[in-house]
Amino acid sequence: MYDIRTKQVTLLLSGLAGPAGVAVSADGSYVLVTELITYRVRKYWLKGEKANSSEVFANLMGYPDNHGRLLGGWMMIYSVFSIVVAFNHLDDKPPEKGDWEDTFQEYSQWMKNHLPDERHWDKIKSCMIDVKFCQLLPKDRTEEFYKTKLDRIQSGCCKPPTYCNFQFQNATSWIVPKTGPAVGDADCKAWSNEQKEMCYSCNSCKKSFFDDLKKYYKHSSLISFCIFVILSTVYSIGCCALTNSIYRERAYVYHGYRPYGPGPHGYP
């Protein structure tokens, strides 16, 4: 073992039969070493009660030549976690009037704790303002289009909620009635015709953004899960084929036994 601080090398384990690969555990508690000649993997403990001792980790049928720590387990955990978070209470229906007061009521507890706080939202809002998100709306449509035909995020961030009964002026400008908003909702009060304000601070904008985020999160989770399954299947088939080939070769070379079936040492 090489210590980068002292620049010294320490011998941890000797008498290995053809060491051909080393892999350290994720928590750094042990290291696995392959022994090519004896077809086995040895575990050497670096921490804990068994520190500075070794044991046989696995006996193999074939030649172990190099190994490493795979990310497949973490990929599986990520995929399952993402699917659970994304599918939990996913609702595609637009919210009704008054639902914004408890903006994330139907979200999972993890989503409530990590996403819709002001610190995260200020960063998202600044990005939307920088790209002039609401100025990308078409300018030559009717009032009905802006009330009913906009996508979810545009409707939530670029116009006041329909139930406020604001008067339409143009794509990004709405006039508050002289009598005030029809509903004393927080989003009706938050609306501004200023291009850097609009409804970016509205609960409707936050909700629509995170609802769309959940949809894309769901799709990416399913894709990563499918990729994991495909790679695992291909890897398993390859390992089985390699192990079988090595076993047939060993059986012929060491015991003079010609395996039944096609191959370099069986009949064609």
Side-chain angles (χ1 to χ4, degrees), residues 61 232-248:
M61 295 181 62
S232 298
T233 302
V234 173
Y235 179 78
S236 299
I237 294 174
C239 286
C240 290
L242 179 61
T243 301
N244 183 60
S245 175
I246 293 175
Y247 173 74
R248 291 161 60 86

Side-chain angles (χ1 to χ4, degrees), residues 83-113 115-116 152 203-215:
I83 291 173
V84 171
V85 170
F87 276 91
N88 190 17
H89 304 300
L90 183 62
D91 184 10
D92 292 331
K93 296 181 180 180
E96 300 296 334
K97 181 179 67 174
D99 284 353
W100 301 124
E101 294 300 325
D102 190 3
T103 318
F104 298 90
Q105 182 178 1
E106 78 279 12
Y107 274 33
S108 65
Q109 191 60 44
W110 187 91
M111 293 283 283
K112 288 181 181 180
N113 293 339
L115 291 182
R152 192 181 184 98
N203 290 329
S204 59
C205 184
K206 300 174 186 178
K207 181 73 161 53
S208 59
F209 177 86
F210 287 115
D211 279 350
D212 267 21
L213 181 64
K214 285 184 68 177
K215 292 179 184 178

Side-chain angles (χ1 to χ4, degrees), residues 119-138:
R119 181 172 59 87
H120 288 92
W121 182 248
D122 286 342
K123 295 178 181 179
I124 297 171
K125 182 174 68 174
S126 65
C127 289
M128 298 177 72
I129 294 174
D130 290 342
V131 300
K132 300 179 180 179
F133 177 75
C134 289
Q135 295 183 29
L136 301 176
L137 296 178

